[in-house]
Amino acid sequence: LKAYFKPIKRREFIKKSMTGGAVFATVPLWNLFSHSLPPPDIVSHPPIDLDKETLTKLLSVALQNRGEFAEVYVEYNISNSIGLDENKIRSASRGVDMGVGIRVLKGEKTGYAHTDDLIPEKLKETARVAGLIASGKTEMQPENLKERKNPNYYLVKTSPDSIIPQDKSKLLWKANSVLRAYDKRITQVRASFSDINKKIIIANTEGVYVTDDQTISRFTVRASAFENGKRSRGYAYKGGTLGYEHYDSLTAEELAKEAGRVAIVMLPAEDAPAGEYPIVLAKGDCGTFFHEAIGHSLEGDGARRKTTCFWDKKGEMIASKIVSLADNGTIPGKRGSINVDDEGTPSQKTVLIKNGLCTGFLYDNLNAKLMNTESTGNGRRESYQHYPIPRMTNTYLLAGKDDPEDIQRSVKNGIFIKNIGGGNVSPTTGRFVFSVPEGYLIEDGKITKPLKGIQLMGNGPDVLKNITMVGPDLEILGGGTCGKAGQGKPVSDGNPTLKVAKITIGGARIRRS
Amino acid sequence: MEYQKIAEKVVKKALNLGVDEAEAFIESNRNFYLLVRNGEVDTVKQSSTKGIGLTVYKDKKLGFSYTSDLTGDSLTEFTKRTIQLAEVADPKPWNMLPDYGKEEKQKDLDLWDPSIFEIENSQKIEIAQKVEKRALSYDKRITKSTGANFRDGQSETIIVNSKGISRSFKTTSVSYGVSVIAGEVDSMQSGRWSSSKRHFEELENIEDVAMEAGKRAVEKLGAKPVQTAKVPVVFDRYAAGSFWRGVLSAFSGDSVYKKTTFLTDSLDKPVASKLITITDNPTIPRHVGSTPFDGEGKITRENTLVADGVLKMFVYDSTTARKARVKINTMARRRGYRGTASAGTLNTIIRNGNVDPDKIIEGIKEGFYITGLRGSGTDTTTGTFSVGASGFWIKNGERAFPVDGVTLGGNTAEILKNIELMADDMDMRGSLSSPSFKVAELAVGGRR
């Protein structure tokens, strides 16, 4: 628990006290976490003293109706964001979310109730309601709560929540001035900094007691350009489970230049052709493709319910031999990295596809138990308002051996995809569609002109078989918020340079050939 | 009216601490969710949430924050921090509360049905079980269920500000639905359908919901891509929704101000076929898309965006309207207490045409009938339209075979002008309703 008890630097203390008028006091609940000062709201009004004894009592109430398993999830979350638009700091905002979610399991059944009224009577009532799902004969007692320590995969020295908004605004101004000076065709600049600071406690009837202090930060710069009646956009960001020490004026400059580069490059872009083409995916920022088109079909809930296209494919070849895919929550500082999942299971690396062979699925506790296997540390939830389901963390295609230049040269007439934007997939059919913010035509192995309106379409299983070359240059640069069953969760992804021999491109320019 | 008092107190507190204007928005919800899978109760979820969002204006600077902690002392701290946030922001001339002018009285839109509180849990389970069983038996080719659900909820929305506005309304909601899978391993297709209403008695019957879910799964079986072609296409009334959402994003008044929409200079000009009239009407009694006041507390009314193909109005909330120096609209959307209001349509209606939906494909030799769209489609800046689609191929005026894995490509501005038939089959289900319609020609991309 070393990470939680880092001594507070005096300078930070002063800064913090100035922003919130905080009073330094020990608070029963949140001093468990305090690597920086407790949030000011909490200092003046601790919501409730949820110590181990209280948690055990709630677990007992939840089991009263003869459930098999009960769990209490406590969350206190502060989100900050500040944005610049049209040469102005548009506004700074802050949000506090706190609440308790209580889950009871009986066989395949789930009872869940949550409340943000943290008075003891309401908590007890919430535990009771969650327990109503169960009925039966077995009587269980909660085991004694034992605190488990976890390794730390977050790169956080200075909590972004401890930085006053004035300081964050300086980064935005820097990005704004660099980008406006970058090219006179840049017409609009937007920049934002946001951070989420979440503190959780998980306690369950199997004796698990885990706390985690999660920080996610993100610095985004967007550019719009205009010339000769044509408009384009560019976008760049840096983010992850990163402390504020990872952002400075140089970061602002780099992001501004990258956003500007994309907007200017894409200005003369022509409508993409439509039809079947070979594509080359650039390293780093095309991992969304594997997250969406493959990863979702390898989640354990779909496997158990036999509703995904891969449910019965474990041990079978589902991809070409050069394809290996992993999910790994333990890579330091990435957006999807977690010390523990939202059920208290330590994070791990799970190989999903090894040399083309389907080797496993991503599991939470419930689905793992029903499939007679172990959780892979992928039981995640958006907040106390949701029960956990299998979710990815950082998902990436493993490095191969083909020379990235050879990969590009091998394409006579195809598309080069620099990065992949939003997308969605049906886990039932594996069918997906993605937009491509930056893509180019490849003619005779050379990148020629930028293309707009590219949509990649197809289905996951087909694409896996059509991957014919994979480079050694794996990078994990992607990052965003994945939505599943109404729950958003931060994830990251990545890939080496690779070639997909054929895929359907949807573009505005559809022609017979 | 406990929450209304809290909101009034917070506004007063902010004014006492020196802000020029303040607005408090409180939303509280109670929800119930039940999932049945293979006849057994799988999940029961009950929730209660509430929270306050506070917007303050000081010297034309805006600060916003929210919290779910409504206890007395913490609200003082919360108010102070919100004011500190305003101090970081830059002043903008349009940062102020809306002008309310002369407004109609708040209408009772009959959005509250206390009878949903009398539904026993056993009855909810029974509804879910029945709809699942019926959907599974729709066709031999239906292989499994991914679940049937029942939901109900109640919500209270309160808005109080320093211009003397103190308004609230309550809604109930109730819905149920089912999702089934047809086919075996390598050719599974899913189909889902649901019914969602404000009043329990208005829910569609179980038979219809189950049949529609089953039909949607089975009819897609064996779907395949087609050869790339330019053909007439028909957008089914439900698939039409996501097309119109893309179109509506180009109506954003703020994008017009920033010149980042392809409709920028189109006010009072024809932008669509004469058959097209688009209105935003959140005042329809009992409708799920209705609300008596918008996200800024302004009394809602019907607005016409497009009349017989001519663009009549962009979508503004008070901030973007002030910025663009146009007359205030009543289209401020708000997604709960966690954010400020922003411009957006509330309940959009694409006017019904007069063609029998069964006759809309008559006379099409080769064409595409779209039942599903994937992806957002319209790039609001350029008007480029590119989206994944599924549906049926039309041959000689009849449905020939199911199609999936194709793309549609074109330009939104052209598609709007090329709409040549509007059906009379609009079904008001959500916050956007459209009849089916036919476009003279669109590029369908598949195999080369």
Side-chain angles (χ1 to χ4, degrees):
Chain A
L1 263 186
K2 205 169 145 209
Y4 299 120
F5 288 111
K6 244 177 241 161
I8 300 145
K9 287 185 199 132
R10 179 158 170 77
R11 202 165 50 87
E12 266 184 45
F13 169 69
I14 292 167
K15 215 185 245 173
K16 191 84 190 179
S17 345
M18 277 164 62
T19 58
V23 185
F24 190 51
T26 312
V27 179
L29 174 52
W30 301 111
N31 67 354
L32 292 168
F33 303 113
S34 50
H35 73 159
S36 64
L37 275 176
D41 304 64
I42 289 301
V43 175
S44 22
H45 343 273
I48 192 164
D49 182 2
L50 278 185
D51 53 16
K52 283 187 193 164
E53 198 183 320
T54 312
L55 292 166
T56 307
K57 268 186 204 153
L58 287 175
L59 289 170
S60 301
V61 172
L63 279 192
Q64 263 171 13
N65 226 32
R66 315 205 160 175
E68 288 167 359
F69 169 89
E71 169 198 66
V72 180
Y73 179 90
V74 188
E75 177 187 345
Y76 185 91
N77 186 20
I78 298 177
S79 348
N80 297 295
S81 81
I82 179 161
L84 180 149
D85 192 3
E86 297 173 71
N87 282 318
K88 296 262 162 63
I89 294 294
R90 125 187 114 221
S91 71
S93 69
R94 182 172 197 271
V96 178
D97 291 290
M98 60 170 195
V100 172
I102 299 176
R103 177 167 69 142
V104 174
L105 299 179
K106 178 89 177 184
E108 296 189 26
K109 295 180 187 177
T110 300
Y112 198 78
H114 65 82
T115 178
D116 48 17
D117 260 331
L118 301 191
I119 51 173
E121 307 86 79
K122 283 274 184 183
L123 286 171
K124 245 176 141 175
E125 171 64 11
T126 305
R128 195 188 66 78
V129 169
L132 290 178
I133 188 78
S135 62
K137 290 193 177 121
T138 33
E139 204 158 326
M140 318 248 317
Q141 286 299 318
E143 286 180 34
N144 286 337
L145 293 178
K146 273 178 248 108
E147 179 148 10
R148 197 178 55 224
K149 298 170 187 187
N150 298 295
N152 175 45
Y153 306 118
Y154 310 137
L155 301 179
V156 181
K157 284 190 189 128
T158 309
S159 164
D161 187 46
S162 71
I163 304 299
I164 55 170
Q166 275 86 350
D167 283 357
K168 290 174 183 168
S169 74
K170 284 178 195 152
L171 291 184
L172 308 185
W173 282 116
K174 174 76 182 175
N176 185 56
S177 60
V178 170
L179 187 45
R180 287 192 183 272
Y182 180 82
D183 193 294
K184 60 176 191 304
R185 291 168 288 179
I186 299 288
T187 51
Q188 293 288 351
V189 174
R190 283 192 288 158
S192 64
F193 191 95
S194 60
D195 52 84
I196 296 167
N197 309 271
K198 188 182 272 203
K199 295 153 195 293
I200 57 172
I201 301 175
I202 301 155
N204 72 30
T205 46
E206 289 167 1
V208 169
Y209 178 87
V210 172
T211 63
D212 199 24
D213 186 346
Q214 307 175 335
T215 299
I216 290 184
S217 54
R218 187 179 180 97
F219 183 7
T220 308
V221 180
R222 291 168 199 273
S224 301
F226 181 80
E227 188 185 33
N228 299 334
K230 282 191 158 189
R231 298 172 204 281
S232 65
R233 288 184 211 147
Y235 169 78
Y237 68 90
K238 175 178 181 173
T241 47
L242 301 174
Y244 196 70
E245 71 277 9
H246 294 271
Y247 304 92
D248 58 16
S249 142
L250 193 66
T251 320
E253 198 173 323
E254 285 167 1
L255 293 178
K257 285 181 175 164
E258 173 62 10
R261 182 193 67 79
V262 179
I264 295 303
V265 163
M266 295 306 288
L267 251 182
E270 294 175 10
D271 282 338
E276 265 182 5
Y277 288 92
I279 57 167
V280 175
L281 297 178
K283 66 171 177 180
D285 214 358
C286 296
T288 312
F289 190 82
F290 298 98
H291 170 104
E292 294 288 349
I294 316 294
H296 278 299
S297 302
L298 290 166
E299 288 168 335
D301 44 352
R304 171 169 74 85
R305 293 179 188 134
K306 307 179 180 177
T307 51
T308 90
C309 50
F310 294 134
W311 73 269
D312 58 346
K313 296 286 191 285
K314 193 176 170 184
E316 287 180 33
M317 290 296 285
I318 57 169
S320 67
K321 269 190 177 164
I322 52 169
V323 172
S324 296
L325 185 78
D327 182 84
N328 185 354
T330 72
I331 308 167
K334 296 297 174 193
R335 188 170 159 88
S337 300
I338 43 174
N339 295 340
V340 288
D341 71 3
D342 295 314
E343 301 183 298
T345 309
S347 188
Q348 67 175 55
K349 175 179 175 181
T350 308
V351 176
L352 298 166
I353 300 175
K354 193 171 185 192
N355 302 326
L357 200 73
C358 177
T359 48
F361 298 96
L362 297 175
Y363 283 110
D364 63 338
N365 279 333
L366 174 66
N367 288 290
K369 194 179 153 202
L370 295 170
M371 294 290 279
N372 285 318
T373 181
E374 299 281 308
S375 166
T376 54
N378 291 83
R380 306 183 71 193
R381 58 180 118 201
E382 181 180 302
S383 74
Y384 71 92
Q385 301 190 6
H386 306 270
Y387 51 86
I389 50 175
R391 301 297 294 266
M392 284 170 265
T393 58
N394 308 304
T395 312
Y396 52 91
L397 197 77
L398 272 63
K401 287 179 184 145
D402 295 301
D403 179 18
E405 283 184 29
D406 287 345
I407 296 177
Q408 190 187 311
R409 269 198 293 265
S410 75
V411 176
K412 284 267 168 296
N413 180 23
I415 314 274
F416 183 85
I417 311 285
K418 184 71 195 323
N419 56 33
I420 284 180
N424 69 66
V425 66
S426 151
T428 311
T429 58
R431 206 169 269 290
F432 60 77
V433 58
F434 296 102
S435 63
V436 176
E438 188 184 354
Y440 303 85
L441 195 64
I442 305 178
E443 291 171 298
D444 286 327
K446 289 193 194 83
I447 290 173
T448 54
K449 47 193 170 195
L451 299 173
K452 66 181 176 193
I454 300 174
Q455 301 263 332
L456 294 179
M457 306 193 50
N459 76 66
D462 287 350
V463 170
L464 283 179
K465 288 170 194 147
N466 280 326
I467 295 175
T468 51
M469 295 174 97
V470 179
D473 48 353
L474 168 67
E475 277 195 67
I476 297 167
L477 296 178
T481 300
C482 164
K484 175 183 170 186
Q487 300 194 43
K489 204 67 194 167
V491 295
S492 179
D493 41 60
N495 61 288
T497 304
L498 69 130
K499 176 179 168 183
V500 180
K502 64 170 186 180
I503 196 165
T504 306
I505 303 286
R509 196 154 52 89
I510 297 180
R511 58 183 172 196
R512 272 180 234 254
S513 58
Chain B
M1 290 284 110
E2 185 201 347
Y3 288 141
Q4 201 145 357
K5 281 200 182 112
I6 292 175
E8 283 165 7
K9 232 167 88 182
V10 168
V11 168
K12 203 176 278 174
K13 204 170 281 177
L15 292 174
N16 287 341
L17 288 165
V19 304
D20 304 323
E21 292 184 315
E23 178 216 72
F25 181 96
I26 292 186
E27 194 179 84
S28 81
N29 289 298
R30 288 186 68 86
N31 290 302
F32 173 87
Y33 167 77
L34 167 87
L35 182 74
V36 162
R37 222 188 283 261
N38 301 320
E40 296 278 327
V41 175
D42 182 283
T43 306
V44 174
K45 189 176 164 183
Q46 187 164 304
S47 65
S48 72
T49 60
K50 46 104 188 53
I52 183 167
L54 174 65
T55 311
V56 298
Y57 302 100
K58 193 177 181 185
D59 305 324
K60 295 280 190 288
K61 297 193 279 191
L62 182 152
F64 174 80
S65 59
Y66 71 80
T67 180
S68 61
D69 182 3
L70 300 192
T71 49
D73 289 350
S74 62
L75 284 175
T76 307
E77 182 72 32
F78 163 74
T79 309
K80 281 183 191 160
R81 292 203 71 139
T82 313
I83 297 169
Q84 283 170 353
L85 288 168
E87 281 156 6
V88 193
D90 283 303
K92 289 182 179 180
W94 48 77
N95 274 341
M96 57 176 101
L97 289 174
D99 291 321
Y100 292 86
K102 269 189 191 153
E103 286 191 304
E104 284 183 39
K105 257 185 85 185
Q106 182 176 329
K107 278 186 233 121
D108 178 4
L109 299 175
D110 197 11
L111 306 175
W112 179 260
D113 174 19
S115 78
I116 73 160
F117 308 120
E118 282 152 33
I119 315 167
E120 295 287 336
N121 281 353
S122 56
Q123 195 184 350
K124 299 175 188 177
I125 295 169
E126 202 186 315
I127 291 172
Q129 284 170 332
K130 272 188 178 162
V131 74
E132 186 190 45
K133 198 174 165 195
R134 193 66 192 93
L136 281 169
S137 70
Y138 171 78
D139 189 291
K140 280 204 293 283
R141 290 166 290 173
I142 305 265
T143 45
K144 52 186 157 263
S145 155
T146 50
N149 63 62
F150 184 97
R151 295 168 197 268
D152 61 63
Q154 51 175 309
S155 171
E156 184 179 12
T157 304
I158 289 149
I159 193 158
V160 171
N161 69 31
S162 54
K163 282 204 165 169
I165 298 292
S166 181
R167 292 177 174 159
S168 73
F169 73 98
K170 282 168 140 188
T171 60
T172 50
S173 60
V174 58
S175 73
Y176 75 96
V178 61
S179 168
V180 288
I181 288 181
E184 295 297 337
V185 183
D186 290 319
S187 61
M188 291 194 290
Q189 293 285 356
S190 67
R192 63 178 62 185
W193 201 240
S194 62
S195 178
S196 177
K197 299 288 177 192
R198 296 254 171 250
H199 286 248
F200 184 64
E201 64 183 25
E202 297 206 337
L203 284 172
E204 286 145 281
N205 74 53
I206 289 173
E207 182 74 10
D208 291 351
V209 172
M211 292 299 101
E212 186 67 26
K215 189 184 109 199
R216 283 174 170 258
V218 170
E219 71 183 9
K220 286 192 279 190
L221 278 176
K224 56 185 183 189
V226 287
Q227 299 288 317
T228 295
K230 270 197 172 173
V231 291
V233 297
V234 176
F235 285 76
D236 167 86
R237 56 184 168 166
Y238 301 122
S242 53
F243 169 75
W244 290 116
R245 275 197 183 84
V247 172
L248 284 168
S249 61
F251 277 73
S252 151
D254 205 39
S255 301
V256 174
Y257 176 78
K258 292 178 179 166
K259 299 193 192 316
T260 54
T261 155
F262 70 94
L263 291 174
T264 299
D265 298 312
S266 304
L267 193 64
D268 290 323
K269 291 180 188 159
V271 294
S273 143
K274 279 192 177 155
L275 298 170
I276 303 299
T277 292
I278 306 175
T279 60
D280 189 55
N281 186 4
T283 70
I284 299 163
R286 290 194 169 198
H287 187 57
V288 286
S290 290
T291 172
F293 54 82
D294 75 352
E296 297 181 304
K298 287 169 297 178
I299 302 297
T300 49
R301 62 184 173 101
E302 183 175 9
N303 289 310
T304 301
L305 305 179
V306 174
D308 303 323
V310 176
L311 200 158
K312 288 292 176 192
M313 187 186 277
F314 290 111
V315 175
Y316 294 101
D317 62 349
S318 75
T319 309
T320 55
R322 195 171 278 134
K323 216 163 133 179
R325 296 167 197 260
V326 302
K327 237 172 62 189
I328 284 183
N329 269 311
T330 52
M331 290 184 276
R333 211 161 18 186
R334 192 144 184 168
R335 293 198 174 89
Y337 63 85
R338 287 191 176 82
T340 52
S342 62
T345 52
L346 301 164
N347 184 45
T348 312
I349 293 163
I350 317 296
R351 195 175 63 188
N352 240 341
N354 51 18
V355 179
D356 181 336
D358 294 330
K359 296 197 170 139
I360 203 163
I361 62 173
E362 265 180 18
I364 299 181
K365 262 191 93 164
E366 291 269 339
F368 184 32
Y369 186 94
I370 304 157
T371 56
L373 293 177
R374 274 197 195 93
S376 49
T378 293
D379 180 325
T380 49
T381 309
T382 60
T384 302
F385 179 72
S386 173
V387 66
S390 57
F392 300 93
W393 200 249
I394 307 168
K395 252 192 165 109
N396 300 323
E398 277 176 24
R399 290 182 175 204
F401 56 88
V403 171
D404 200 356
V406 297
T407 63
L408 299 174
N411 184 286
T412 306
E414 284 169 28
I415 297 171
L416 288 173
K417 286 179 181 154
N418 284 334
I419 293 175
E420 55 179 29
L421 290 177
M422 296 291 282
D424 63 357
D425 59 349
M426 187 176 69
D427 175 23
M428 279 220 279
R429 301 179 65 81
S431 57
L432 194 153
S433 312
S434 166
S436 304
F437 62 90
K438 180 185 168 197
V439 178
E441 191 181 65
L442 200 59
V444 179
R447 292 174 308 208
R448 282 189 294 171

